[in-house]
Amino acid sequence: MQVTWKKIDPKDYTDEILAVALLQGEKLPFPEITKTIRKESFEGKTDQTYTLDTLGKFPFKKLFLFGWGDKKDFHTDLIRRFAGVAIRYAVKLKSDRIGLVLPSMSSANTAQSLTEGAVLANYSCTKFKSKKEDVFEVKEAHILTKENVQDAVAHAAILANAQNYVRDINENPANIATPQMLAEEAKKLARQNGLGITILEKSDLKKMKMNAILAVNQGSDVPPVLVVLEYNKHKKNLPLYAVVGKGITFDSGGISLKPAKGMQEMKYDKTGAVTVLGIAKAVSELQLPIRLIAAFAATENLPSGSAQKPGDIITAYNGKTIEVLNTDAEGRLILADTLAYVAEQKPEAIIDLATLTGAIIVSLGRHRIGCFSNDDKLANVLFAAGEETFERVWRMPLDQEYIEMNKGAFADISNIGSEKGEAGSITAAAFLREFIGDCKWAHLDIAGVDHIADSHGYLGKGASGIGVRLVTNALEKLAKK
Ligand code: BES
Ligand code: ZN
Ligand code: ZN
Protein backbone atom coordinates (compact mmCIF):
# COMPACT_ATOMS: atom_id res chain seq x y z
CA MET A 1 0.00 0.00 0.00
CA GLN A 2 1.11 3.50 -0.79
CA VAL A 3 0.68 6.05 2.01
CA THR A 4 0.93 9.69 0.92
CA TRP A 5 0.51 13.11 2.47
CA LYS A 6 -2.06 15.41 0.84
CA LYS A 7 -2.29 19.07 1.68
CA ILE A 8 -5.97 19.45 0.93
CA ASP A 9 -8.96 20.46 2.96
CA PRO A 10 -10.86 17.32 4.07
CA LYS A 11 -14.11 18.71 2.67
CA ASP A 12 -12.57 18.70 -0.82
CA TYR A 13 -11.42 15.05 -0.65
CA THR A 14 -12.59 13.27 -3.79
CA ASP A 15 -12.02 9.56 -3.13
CA GLU A 16 -14.74 7.30 -1.78
CA ILE A 17 -14.09 7.21 1.98
CA LEU A 18 -13.01 9.91 4.37
CA ALA A 19 -12.17 8.68 7.88
CA VAL A 20 -12.08 11.09 10.82
CA ALA A 21 -11.04 10.41 14.43
CA LEU A 22 -12.57 12.50 17.20
CA LEU A 23 -12.05 12.83 20.92
CA GLN A 24 -15.16 12.57 23.05
CA GLY A 25 -17.20 15.76 22.61
CA GLU A 26 -14.98 17.08 19.81
CA LYS A 27 -16.85 18.63 16.87
CA LEU A 28 -16.64 17.38 13.31
CA PRO A 29 -14.89 19.73 10.90
CA PHE A 30 -18.10 19.78 8.79
CA PRO A 31 -20.88 21.75 10.54
CA GLU A 32 -23.33 20.84 7.77
CA ILE A 33 -23.12 17.17 8.77
CA THR A 34 -22.85 17.54 12.52
CA LYS A 35 -26.58 18.27 12.82
CA THR A 36 -27.58 15.08 11.04
CA ILE A 37 -25.72 12.81 13.50
CA ARG A 38 -27.78 12.07 16.58
CA LYS A 39 -25.76 12.48 19.74
CA GLU A 40 -26.66 8.96 20.92
CA SER A 41 -25.30 7.42 17.70
CA PHE A 42 -21.80 8.85 17.98
CA GLU A 43 -20.32 10.47 21.05
CA GLY A 44 -16.66 9.76 20.32
CA LYS A 45 -16.35 7.07 22.99
CA THR A 46 -13.24 4.88 22.75
CA ASP A 47 -13.36 2.56 19.72
CA GLN A 48 -16.87 3.75 18.77
CA THR A 49 -17.42 3.85 15.00
CA TYR A 50 -20.09 5.47 12.84
CA THR A 51 -20.59 5.62 9.09
CA LEU A 52 -22.63 8.03 7.09
CA ASP A 53 -23.51 8.41 3.42
CA THR A 54 -22.75 11.98 2.34
CA LEU A 55 -25.57 11.94 -0.27
CA GLY A 56 -23.81 14.28 -2.66
CA LYS A 57 -23.10 16.97 -0.06
CA PHE A 58 -19.34 16.31 -0.35
CA PRO A 59 -17.10 14.91 -3.08
CA PHE A 60 -16.39 11.81 -0.90
CA LYS A 61 -19.23 9.30 -0.58
CA LYS A 62 -18.77 7.82 2.89
CA LEU A 63 -17.78 9.45 6.13
CA PHE A 64 -16.27 7.04 8.67
CA LEU A 65 -15.97 8.26 12.26
CA PHE A 66 -13.83 6.74 15.00
CA GLY A 67 -14.01 7.63 18.70
CA TRP A 68 -10.94 8.25 20.81
CA GLY A 69 -12.70 8.65 24.15
CA ASP A 70 -11.76 11.10 26.87
CA LYS A 71 -8.78 13.37 26.19
CA LYS A 72 -7.14 12.48 29.52
CA ASP A 73 -6.91 8.79 28.52
CA PHE A 74 -5.46 9.49 25.08
CA HIS A 75 -2.30 7.65 23.99
CA THR A 76 -0.62 7.40 20.59
CA ASP A 77 -1.60 3.79 19.96
CA LEU A 78 -5.17 5.04 19.50
CA ILE A 79 -3.89 6.71 16.32
CA ARG A 80 -2.66 3.35 14.96
CA ARG A 81 -5.96 1.76 15.95
CA PHE A 82 -7.96 4.46 14.16
CA ALA A 83 -5.96 3.94 10.96
CA GLY A 84 -6.28 0.17 11.34
CA VAL A 85 -10.05 0.16 11.83
CA ALA A 86 -10.53 2.64 8.97
CA ILE A 87 -8.45 0.50 6.61
CA ARG A 88 -10.51 -2.57 7.52
CA TYR A 89 -13.65 -0.61 6.69
CA ALA A 90 -12.19 0.25 3.28
CA VAL A 91 -11.31 -3.43 2.78
CA LYS A 92 -14.89 -4.39 3.60
CA LEU A 93 -16.18 -1.93 1.02
CA LYS A 94 -13.47 -3.00 -1.44
CA SER A 95 -12.46 0.62 -1.80
CA ASP A 96 -9.01 1.28 -3.28
CA ARG A 97 -8.36 4.62 -1.63
CA ILE A 98 -9.12 6.24 1.71
CA GLY A 99 -8.41 9.61 3.34
CA LEU A 100 -7.43 9.86 7.03
CA VAL A 101 -7.97 13.01 9.08
CA LEU A 102 -7.06 14.03 12.64
CA PRO A 103 -8.78 17.36 13.25
CA SER A 104 -7.39 17.87 16.78
CA MET A 105 -3.77 17.13 16.05
CA SER A 106 -1.31 17.23 13.23
CA SER A 107 2.38 16.50 13.55
CA ALA A 108 5.10 14.23 12.28
CA ASN A 109 4.50 11.84 15.20
CA THR A 110 0.83 11.39 14.47
CA ALA A 111 1.56 10.86 10.76
CA GLN A 112 4.04 8.13 11.71
CA SER A 113 1.46 6.30 13.84
CA LEU A 114 -1.24 6.69 11.17
CA THR A 115 1.03 5.22 8.54
CA GLU A 116 2.05 2.31 10.77
CA GLY A 117 -1.56 1.48 11.65
CA ALA A 118 -2.66 1.64 8.02
CA VAL A 119 0.16 -0.48 6.59
CA LEU A 120 -0.09 -3.08 9.38
CA ALA A 121 -3.88 -3.41 9.12
CA ASN A 122 -3.75 -3.80 5.35
CA TYR A 123 -1.69 -7.00 5.68
CA SER A 124 -3.31 -10.39 5.83
CA CYS A 125 -1.79 -13.77 5.13
CA THR A 126 -3.76 -15.34 2.31
CA LYS A 127 -1.13 -17.41 0.55
CA PHE A 128 -2.43 -20.73 1.89
CA LYS A 129 -6.04 -20.14 0.78
CA SER A 130 -6.86 -21.58 -2.64
CA LYS A 131 -9.83 -19.21 -3.24
CA LYS A 132 -8.44 -15.75 -3.89
CA GLU A 133 -11.65 -13.85 -4.68
CA ASP A 134 -12.15 -12.60 -1.12
CA VAL A 135 -8.64 -11.19 -0.97
CA PHE A 136 -8.61 -7.40 -1.10
CA GLU A 137 -5.97 -4.81 -0.27
CA VAL A 138 -6.37 -1.06 -0.12
CA LYS A 139 -4.01 0.55 -2.65
CA GLU A 140 -3.61 4.07 -1.24
CA ALA A 141 -4.09 5.83 2.07
CA HIS A 142 -3.94 9.62 2.11
CA ILE A 143 -3.04 11.57 5.22
CA LEU A 144 -4.75 14.94 5.05
CA THR A 145 -2.93 17.65 7.01
CA LYS A 146 -1.56 21.13 6.42
CA GLU A 147 1.91 20.31 7.70
CA ASN A 148 4.41 18.48 5.46
CA VAL A 149 4.72 15.00 6.98
CA GLN A 150 6.25 13.21 3.98
CA ASP A 151 9.46 12.18 5.83
CA ALA A 152 7.57 10.76 8.81
CA VAL A 153 5.35 8.78 6.44
CA ALA A 154 8.35 7.31 4.58
CA HIS A 155 10.07 6.40 7.86
CA ALA A 156 6.95 4.71 9.25
CA ALA A 157 6.34 2.82 6.01
CA ILE A 158 9.82 1.26 6.24
CA LEU A 159 9.12 0.10 9.81
CA ALA A 160 5.63 -1.24 9.17
CA ASN A 161 6.68 -2.99 5.95
CA ALA A 162 9.56 -4.65 7.83
CA GLN A 163 7.05 -5.84 10.42
CA ASN A 164 4.76 -7.22 7.69
CA TYR A 165 7.78 -8.93 6.13
CA VAL A 166 8.36 -10.73 9.45
CA ARG A 167 4.68 -11.69 9.71
CA ASP A 168 4.72 -13.10 6.20
CA ILE A 169 7.78 -15.30 6.72
CA ASN A 170 6.78 -16.33 10.23
CA GLU A 171 3.32 -17.47 9.11
CA ASN A 172 4.92 -20.33 7.16
CA PRO A 173 4.45 -23.56 9.10
CA ALA A 174 7.30 -25.93 9.88
CA ASN A 175 6.92 -28.06 6.73
CA ILE A 176 7.73 -24.96 4.67
CA ALA A 177 9.82 -22.79 7.01
CA THR A 178 12.75 -25.15 7.54
CA PRO A 179 16.14 -23.89 8.77
CA GLN A 180 17.27 -23.98 5.13
CA MET A 181 14.33 -21.81 4.07
CA LEU A 182 15.19 -19.20 6.75
CA ALA A 183 18.77 -19.17 5.42
CA GLU A 184 17.40 -18.61 1.90
CA GLU A 185 15.28 -15.70 3.14
CA ALA A 186 18.37 -14.22 4.78
CA LYS A 187 20.30 -14.56 1.50
CA LYS A 188 17.51 -12.83 -0.39
CA LEU A 189 17.50 -9.96 2.11
CA ALA A 190 21.30 -9.67 1.98
CA ARG A 191 21.17 -9.44 -1.82
CA GLN A 192 18.35 -6.89 -1.88
CA ASN A 193 19.68 -4.65 0.91
CA GLY A 194 23.42 -5.01 0.29
CA LEU A 195 24.22 -6.79 3.58
CA GLY A 196 27.16 -9.09 4.27
CA ILE A 197 26.14 -12.69 4.97
CA THR A 198 27.81 -15.75 6.45
CA ILE A 199 25.99 -19.07 6.63
CA LEU A 200 27.47 -21.74 8.85
CA GLU A 201 26.25 -25.19 7.81
CA LYS A 202 26.18 -28.30 10.00
CA SER A 203 29.76 -29.27 9.04
CA ASP A 204 30.99 -25.78 10.00
CA LEU A 205 29.15 -25.95 13.32
CA LYS A 206 30.85 -29.31 14.00
CA LYS A 207 34.30 -27.90 13.24
CA MET A 208 33.62 -24.87 15.45
CA LYS A 209 32.30 -27.04 18.31
CA MET A 210 28.89 -25.39 18.44
CA ASN A 211 27.72 -28.43 20.34
CA ALA A 212 24.67 -26.86 21.93
CA ILE A 213 23.10 -26.10 18.54
CA LEU A 214 24.08 -29.57 17.31
CA ALA A 215 22.60 -31.25 20.40
CA VAL A 216 19.18 -29.68 19.82
CA ASN A 217 19.40 -30.63 16.14
CA GLN A 218 20.21 -34.29 16.89
CA GLY A 219 16.59 -35.45 16.76
CA SER A 220 15.86 -33.72 13.44
CA ASP A 221 16.22 -35.08 9.91
CA VAL A 222 17.16 -31.66 8.53
CA PRO A 223 20.42 -29.85 9.29
CA PRO A 224 20.75 -26.69 11.42
CA VAL A 225 22.17 -23.35 10.24
CA LEU A 226 23.73 -20.35 11.87
CA VAL A 227 23.17 -17.19 9.85
CA VAL A 228 25.06 -13.93 10.39
CA LEU A 229 24.04 -10.78 8.49
CA GLU A 230 26.20 -7.66 8.63
CA TYR A 231 25.10 -4.11 7.87
CA ASN A 232 27.78 -1.44 7.22
CA LYS A 233 30.34 -4.19 7.77
CA HIS A 234 33.33 -2.16 6.59
CA LYS A 235 32.45 1.16 8.25
CA LYS A 236 34.62 0.43 11.24
CA ASN A 237 34.27 3.94 12.70
CA LEU A 238 30.57 3.35 13.38
CA PRO A 239 29.51 1.73 16.68
CA LEU A 240 28.72 -1.98 16.42
CA TYR A 241 25.47 -3.43 17.78
CA ALA A 242 24.18 -7.01 17.59
CA VAL A 243 20.74 -8.58 17.52
CA VAL A 244 20.34 -12.32 18.03
CA GLY A 245 17.22 -14.45 17.54
CA LYS A 246 15.96 -17.92 18.53
CA GLY A 247 15.11 -19.90 15.40
CA ILE A 248 13.39 -23.11 16.44
CA THR A 249 11.32 -23.88 13.32
CA PHE A 250 9.26 -26.34 15.35
CA ASP A 251 9.43 -27.06 19.07
CA SER A 252 7.90 -30.41 19.96
CA GLY A 253 9.86 -30.39 23.21
CA GLY A 254 12.04 -33.26 21.99
CA ILE A 255 12.22 -36.31 24.29
CA SER A 256 10.70 -34.08 27.02
CA LEU A 257 7.68 -34.02 24.68
CA LYS A 258 5.08 -31.26 24.93
CA PRO A 259 1.35 -32.07 25.29
CA ALA A 260 -0.50 -32.35 21.94
CA LYS A 261 -3.01 -29.58 22.66
CA GLY A 262 -1.80 -26.30 21.15
CA MET A 263 1.46 -27.80 19.90
CA GLN A 264 0.81 -26.31 16.42
CA GLU A 265 1.62 -22.91 17.93
CA MET A 266 5.23 -24.02 18.23
CA LYS A 267 5.64 -23.22 14.53
CA TYR A 268 6.07 -19.67 15.88
CA ASP A 269 9.09 -20.71 17.95
CA LYS A 270 11.26 -19.21 15.19
CA THR A 271 9.85 -15.71 15.81
CA GLY A 272 13.08 -14.34 17.31
CA ALA A 273 15.10 -15.35 14.24
CA VAL A 274 12.60 -13.95 11.76
CA THR A 275 12.30 -10.74 13.78
CA VAL A 276 16.07 -10.31 13.58
CA LEU A 277 15.73 -10.44 9.77
CA GLY A 278 13.07 -7.72 9.97
CA ILE A 279 15.30 -5.56 12.17
CA ALA A 280 18.19 -5.92 9.69
CA LYS A 281 15.80 -4.92 6.89
CA ALA A 282 14.49 -1.84 8.74
CA VAL A 283 17.90 -0.68 10.01
CA SER A 284 19.46 -0.92 6.54
CA GLU A 285 16.56 0.83 4.80
CA LEU A 286 16.58 3.62 7.40
CA GLN A 287 20.37 3.79 6.90
CA LEU A 288 21.02 4.13 10.63
CA PRO A 289 24.56 5.34 11.42
CA ILE A 290 25.63 2.12 13.15
CA ARG A 291 27.10 -1.25 12.22
CA LEU A 292 24.77 -4.14 12.92
CA ILE A 293 25.24 -7.89 13.27
CA ALA A 294 21.96 -9.80 12.96
CA ALA A 295 22.44 -13.46 13.84
CA PHE A 296 20.30 -16.52 14.42
CA ALA A 297 20.66 -20.26 14.72
CA ALA A 298 17.82 -22.35 13.31
CA THR A 299 16.85 -25.98 13.86
CA GLU A 300 13.87 -28.17 14.63
CA ASN A 301 13.51 -29.67 18.11
CA LEU A 302 12.13 -33.19 17.59
CA PRO A 303 12.23 -36.55 19.37
CA SER A 304 13.78 -39.52 17.56
CA GLY A 305 16.21 -42.36 18.17
CA SER A 306 19.08 -39.95 17.72
CA ALA A 307 17.61 -37.09 19.78
CA GLN A 308 19.40 -35.72 22.83
CA LYS A 309 18.21 -37.18 26.11
CA PRO A 310 17.58 -35.73 29.56
CA GLY A 311 20.83 -36.02 31.51
CA ASP A 312 23.08 -35.53 28.46
CA ILE A 313 26.07 -33.30 29.09
CA ILE A 314 27.39 -31.07 26.30
CA THR A 315 30.17 -28.50 25.98
CA ALA A 316 29.01 -25.19 24.49
CA TYR A 317 31.02 -22.99 22.09
CA ASN A 318 32.48 -20.94 24.98
CA GLY A 319 33.68 -24.10 26.78
CA LYS A 320 31.03 -24.20 29.53
CA THR A 321 29.48 -27.60 30.18
CA ILE A 322 25.69 -27.92 30.27
CA GLU A 323 23.59 -30.70 31.75
CA VAL A 324 20.42 -30.98 29.66
CA LEU A 325 17.79 -31.80 32.25
CA ASN A 326 14.88 -30.95 29.99
CA THR A 327 15.11 -31.14 26.21
CA ASP A 328 12.19 -28.67 25.94
CA ALA A 329 14.46 -25.92 27.30
CA GLU A 330 16.17 -25.92 23.89
CA GLY A 331 15.99 -22.23 22.98
CA ARG A 332 18.58 -21.28 25.58
CA LEU A 333 20.88 -24.00 24.17
CA ILE A 334 20.94 -22.70 20.60
CA LEU A 335 21.17 -19.13 21.91
CA ALA A 336 24.12 -20.09 24.13
CA ASP A 337 26.34 -20.87 21.12
CA THR A 338 25.01 -17.99 19.02
CA LEU A 339 25.47 -15.41 21.80
CA ALA A 340 28.97 -16.64 22.64
CA TYR A 341 29.93 -16.44 18.96
CA VAL A 342 28.52 -12.90 18.52
CA ALA A 343 30.05 -11.71 21.83
CA GLU A 344 33.52 -12.40 20.35
CA GLN A 345 32.98 -9.35 18.11
CA LYS A 346 32.66 -7.19 21.27
CA PRO A 347 29.61 -5.15 20.18
CA GLU A 348 28.50 -2.10 22.22
CA ALA A 349 25.41 -4.12 23.13
CA ILE A 350 23.66 -7.37 22.25
CA ILE A 351 19.87 -7.57 22.17
CA ASP A 352 18.38 -11.04 21.84
CA LEU A 353 14.78 -11.90 21.02
CA ALA A 354 13.37 -15.32 21.86
CA THR A 355 10.07 -17.10 22.44
CA LEU A 356 11.93 -18.53 25.39
CA THR A 357 9.49 -19.47 28.15
CA GLY A 358 5.84 -20.18 28.85
CA ALA A 359 6.57 -18.69 32.27
CA ILE A 360 6.79 -15.15 30.84
CA ILE A 361 3.14 -15.51 29.74
CA VAL A 362 2.26 -16.43 33.32
CA SER A 363 4.08 -13.30 34.57
CA LEU A 364 3.12 -10.67 31.99
CA GLY A 365 0.32 -12.14 29.89
CA ARG A 366 0.29 -11.05 26.28
CA HIS A 367 0.61 -7.29 26.72
CA ARG A 368 4.23 -6.78 27.67
CA ILE A 369 7.53 -8.33 26.65
CA GLY A 370 9.85 -9.53 29.44
CA CYS A 371 13.10 -7.56 29.37
CA PHE A 372 16.20 -8.78 31.22
CA SER A 373 19.42 -6.80 31.14
CA ASN A 374 22.79 -6.36 32.81
CA ASP A 375 22.78 -2.66 31.88
CA ASP A 376 20.35 -0.03 33.23
CA LYS A 377 20.83 2.37 30.32
CA LEU A 378 20.08 -0.28 27.73
CA ALA A 379 17.02 -1.44 29.70
CA ASN A 380 15.78 2.17 29.90
CA VAL A 381 16.24 2.74 26.17
CA LEU A 382 14.23 -0.41 25.46
CA PHE A 383 11.54 0.69 27.90
CA ALA A 384 11.24 4.10 26.21
CA ALA A 385 11.19 2.48 22.76
CA GLY A 386 8.42 0.16 23.96
CA GLU A 387 6.21 3.01 25.12
CA GLU A 388 6.66 4.83 21.78
CA THR A 389 6.03 1.83 19.56
CA PHE A 390 3.44 0.30 21.90
CA GLU A 391 5.51 -2.89 21.79
CA ARG A 392 5.83 -2.47 25.50
CA VAL A 393 8.44 -4.13 27.71
CA TRP A 394 8.72 -4.67 31.44
CA ARG A 395 12.04 -5.18 33.14
CA MET A 396 12.43 -8.35 35.15
CA PRO A 397 15.08 -9.10 37.82
CA LEU A 398 18.34 -10.99 37.37
CA ASP A 399 19.74 -11.20 40.92
CA GLN A 400 22.59 -13.48 41.87
CA GLU A 401 20.19 -15.89 43.58
CA TYR A 402 18.53 -16.65 40.25
CA ILE A 403 21.90 -17.22 38.63
CA GLU A 404 22.73 -19.73 41.38
CA MET A 405 19.54 -21.67 40.59
CA ASN A 406 21.10 -22.93 37.34
CA LYS A 407 24.13 -24.47 39.09
CA GLY A 408 24.58 -28.02 37.84
CA ALA A 409 24.97 -31.20 39.86
CA PHE A 410 27.30 -32.79 37.30
CA ALA A 411 28.12 -30.00 34.80
CA ASP A 412 28.81 -26.23 35.11
CA ILE A 413 25.16 -25.38 34.60
CA SER A 414 21.82 -27.07 34.01
CA ASN A 415 19.42 -25.96 31.32
CA ILE A 416 16.59 -25.60 33.84
CA GLY A 417 16.75 -23.69 37.12
CA SER A 418 14.08 -25.50 39.05
CA GLU A 419 12.20 -28.78 38.61
CA LYS A 420 9.08 -26.98 39.79
CA GLY A 421 9.44 -24.23 37.18
CA GLU A 422 9.91 -21.51 39.80
CA ALA A 423 11.02 -18.19 38.27
CA GLY A 424 11.12 -19.96 34.91
CA SER A 425 11.64 -16.95 32.67
CA ILE A 426 14.27 -15.44 35.01
CA THR A 427 16.39 -18.59 35.29
CA ALA A 428 16.20 -18.90 31.48
CA ALA A 429 17.56 -15.34 31.16
CA ALA A 430 20.19 -16.09 33.82
CA PHE A 431 21.28 -19.07 31.72
CA LEU A 432 21.82 -16.83 28.66
CA ARG A 433 23.91 -14.45 30.75
CA GLU A 434 26.57 -17.17 31.03
CA PHE A 435 27.28 -16.81 27.30
CA ILE A 436 27.62 -13.07 26.68
CA GLY A 437 31.14 -12.54 28.02
CA ASP A 438 31.54 -8.90 29.22
CA CYS A 439 29.05 -7.45 26.76
CA LYS A 440 26.18 -5.18 27.63
CA TRP A 441 23.12 -7.23 26.88
CA ALA A 442 19.35 -7.30 26.95
CA HIS A 443 17.16 -10.35 26.47
CA LEU A 444 13.58 -9.94 25.28
CA ASP A 445 11.30 -12.90 26.05
CA ILE A 446 8.66 -12.52 23.33
CA ALA A 447 6.79 -15.80 23.97
CA GLY A 448 3.59 -13.90 24.88
CA VAL A 449 3.48 -11.65 21.82
CA ASP A 450 4.69 -13.82 18.92
CA HIS A 451 1.21 -14.21 17.52
CA ILE A 452 -2.20 -12.62 17.93
CA ALA A 453 -5.03 -14.99 18.87
CA ASP A 454 -7.94 -12.55 18.32
CA SER A 455 -7.33 -9.72 15.90
CA HIS A 456 -7.03 -6.25 17.47
CA GLY A 457 -7.06 -2.65 16.17
CA TYR A 458 -4.41 -3.04 13.51
CA LEU A 459 -2.93 -6.56 13.77
CA GLY A 460 -4.95 -9.52 12.53
CA LYS A 461 -4.88 -13.11 13.80
CA GLY A 462 -1.53 -14.83 13.29
CA ALA A 463 2.15 -13.91 13.44
CA SER A 464 2.45 -10.40 14.92
CA GLY A 465 5.91 -9.21 13.90
CA ILE A 466 6.12 -7.51 17.31
CA GLY A 467 9.72 -6.65 18.16
CA VAL A 468 10.81 -5.11 14.86
CA ARG A 469 9.58 -1.59 15.60
CA LEU A 470 10.65 -1.91 19.25
CA VAL A 471 14.27 -2.89 18.64
CA THR A 472 14.74 -0.66 15.58
CA ASN A 473 13.46 2.30 17.61
CA ALA A 474 15.88 1.39 20.43
CA LEU A 475 18.76 1.20 17.94
CA GLU A 476 17.77 4.61 16.54
CA LYS A 477 17.96 6.00 20.07
CA LEU A 478 21.34 4.34 20.71
CA ALA A 479 22.67 5.65 17.38
CA LYS A 480 21.90 9.21 18.50
CA LYS A 481 23.73 8.86 21.83
N1 BES B 1 9.25 -22.48 23.02
C1 BES B 1 9.02 -22.75 24.38
C2 BES B 1 8.44 -21.56 25.13
C3 BES B 1 7.04 -21.14 24.77
C4 BES B 1 5.97 -21.65 25.48
C5 BES B 1 6.81 -20.22 23.78
C6 BES B 1 4.68 -21.24 25.16
C7 BES B 1 5.53 -19.80 23.47
C8 BES B 1 4.46 -20.32 24.17
C9 BES B 1 10.33 -23.15 25.08
O1 BES B 1 11.26 -23.80 24.31
C10 BES B 1 9.94 -24.09 26.16
O2 BES B 1 9.44 -25.14 25.86
N2 BES B 1 10.18 -23.70 27.41
C11 BES B 1 9.84 -24.49 28.53
C12 BES B 1 10.96 -24.39 29.51
C13 BES B 1 10.90 -25.41 30.63
C14 BES B 1 11.09 -26.80 30.09
C15 BES B 1 11.96 -25.08 31.65
C16 BES B 1 8.54 -23.94 29.11
O3 BES B 1 8.32 -22.72 29.07
O4 BES B 1 7.72 -24.73 29.55
ZN1 ZN C 1 10.93 -25.90 24.25
ZN1 ZN D 1 11.15 -23.36 22.25
Side-chain angles (χ1 to χ4, degrees):
M1 174 168 63
Q2 195 72 33
V3 183
T4 45
W5 163 62
K6 287 211 164 163
K7 194 183 177 173
I8 57 167
D9 196 317
K11 71 173 176 3
D12 301 325
Y13 188 65
T14 53
D15 283 309
E16 193 181 11
I17 306 170
L18 184 77
V20 182
L22 297 173
L23 289 163
Q24 195 157 349
E26 190 181 346
K27 286 217 171 67
L28 257 177
F30 320 111
E32 47 281 69
I33 288 190
T34 313
K35 281 175 267 149
T36 67
I37 303 173
R38 285 173 47 210
K39 194 172 173 297
E40 307 78 69
S41 325
F42 185 80
E43 298 164 87
K45 284 191 175 152
T46 315
D47 292 332
Q48 195 180 16
T49 59
Y50 188 79
T51 54
L52 192 93
D53 211 301
T54 58
L55 302 170
K57 284 196 184 126
F58 290 99
F60 51 92
K61 294 189 181 58
K62 302 269 184 198
L63 177 66
F64 177 84
L65 300 180
F66 184 78
W68 269 345
D70 204 321
K71 193 173 180 182
K72 71 175 185 334
D73 302 324
F74 185 78
H75 54 89
T76 49
D77 206 49
L78 286 169
I79 302 175
R80 291 187 197 94
R81 285 182 221 174
F82 158 56
V85 173
I87 291 295
R88 291 209 182 114
Y89 175 68
V91 168
K92 205 172 78 186
L93 262 58
K94 294 204 188 318
S95 191
D96 284 331
R97 281 172 288 273
I98 182 169
L100 303 168
V101 190
L102 308 179
S104 54
M105 51 190 94
S106 142
S107 75
N109 272 349
T110 55
Q112 165 147 4
S113 303
L114 275 179
T115 306
E116 287 172 358
V119 173
L120 292 170
N122 203 33
Y123 171 85
S124 66
C125 178
T126 50
K127 62 185 155 194
F128 301 117
K129 300 269 190 206
S130 50
K131 281 198 188 131
K132 301 288 180 201
E133 53 266 32
D134 294 336
V135 177
F136 185 84
E137 277 184 21
V138 178
K139 308 233 169 10
E140 285 176 42
H142 304 130
I143 297 181
L144 311 184
T145 100
K146 292 197 188 87
E147 200 185 334
N148 184 337
V149 292
Q150 204 56 58
D151 288 350
V153 167
H155 183 264
I158 288 176
L159 288 163
N161 283 318
Q163 183 167 349
N164 285 347
Y165 159 86
V166 170
R167 294 162 84 188
D168 210 47
I169 297 177
N170 208 14
E171 209 58 76
N172 291 299
N175 58 330
I176 298 167
T178 57
Q180 205 53 50
M181 183 268 202
L182 294 185
E184 291 303 325
E185 288 295 340
K187 274 191 214 161
K188 219 189 285 172
L189 179 67
R191 219 179 306 125
Q192 280 165 0
N193 287 27
L195 308 173
I197 183 163
T198 311
I199 295 183
L200 302 178
E201 307 280 356
K202 187 173 178 177
S203 53
D204 303 310
L205 299 176
K206 275 188 186 160
K207 271 184 232 145
M208 296 169 76
K209 303 205 169 86
M210 299 245 180
N211 297 320
I213 298 172
L214 291 164
V216 176
N217 179 253
Q218 255 171 237
S220 169
D221 284 342
V222 295
V225 283
L226 197 163
V227 176
V228 183
L229 288 166
E230 284 170 282
Y231 161 67
N232 276 346
K233 183 176 180 178
H234 301 294
K235 299 198 175 152
K236 299 284 185 211
N237 55 327
L238 294 174
L240 175 66
Y241 289 91
V243 289
V244 169
K246 165 177 171 180
I248 296 293
T249 59
F250 190 77
D251 183 11
S252 72
I255 296 294
S256 313
L257 195 63
K258 285 183 181 296
K261 191 165 180 283
M263 205 201 273
Q264 71 281 0
E265 287 180 5
M266 286 301 128
K267 69 182 176 186
Y268 295 127
D269 212 21
K270 60 186 181 301
T271 302
V274 185
T275 307
V276 154
L277 287 177
I279 294 164
K281 179 173 160 68
V283 165
S284 54
E285 289 171 11
L286 294 172
Q287 298 186 303
L288 294 194
I290 57 169
R291 278 184 294 150
L292 182 75
I293 292 177
F296 65 85
T299 173
E300 300 176 330
N301 183 27
L302 293 178
S304 82
S306 57
Q308 67 170 339
K309 295 166 269 301
D312 286 2
I313 294 177
I314 53 180
T315 306
Y317 179 70
N318 71 347
K320 292 197 182 180
T321 58
I322 306 168
E323 187 176 3
V324 180
L325 293 180
N326 190 315
T327 64
D328 196 12
E330 83 300 334
R332 64 197 81 182
L333 296 176
I334 67 165
L335 285 167
D337 281 349
T338 316
L339 287 168
Y341 180 64
V342 167
E344 288 180 340
Q345 304 300 316
K346 304 247 179 268
E348 304 283 326
I350 306 178
I351 301 172
D352 81 68
L353 298 106
T355 47
L356 203 64
T357 66
I360 201 68
I361 309 175
V362 177
S363 311
L364 298 176
R366 298 185 179 276
H367 306 297
R368 281 193 185 259
I369 295 167
C371 176
F372 303 78
S373 182
N374 60 358
D375 186 76
D376 292 346
K377 274 199 193 130
L378 183 60
N380 290 341
V381 165
L382 282 161
F383 181 81
E387 299 304 300
E388 271 177 36
T389 56
F390 215 70
E391 299 189 337
R392 294 164 297 172
V393 308
W394 199 254
R395 192 170 180 187
M396 300 281 287
L398 260 183
D399 304 279
Q400 191 60 34
E401 289 84 346
Y402 297 111
I403 294 163
E404 308 278 326
M405 286 172 76
N406 288 326
K407 276 233 170 91
F410 300 105
D412 299 339
I413 35 175
S414 310
N415 78 332
I416 57 171
S418 146
E419 297 245 284
K420 290 178 277 180
E422 290 177 355
S425 56
I426 311 174
T427 54
F431 180 94
L432 300 181
R433 221 195 70 146
E434 305 281 343
F435 300 90
I436 51 155
D438 322 316
C439 291
K440 290 177 182 166
W441 153 82
H443 156 60
L444 299 172
D445 193 335
I446 54 172
V449 300
D450 60 352
H451 70 283
I452 306 281
D454 306 300
S455 74
H456 80 11
Y458 50 92
L459 294 176
K461 191 178 162 74
S464 71
I466 289 174
V468 175
R469 288 186 300 111
L470 167 69
V471 175
T472 308
N473 181 301
L475 290 169
E476 286 184 278
K477 288 184 166 50
L478 291 167
K480 278 191 200 132
K481 286 206 165 157

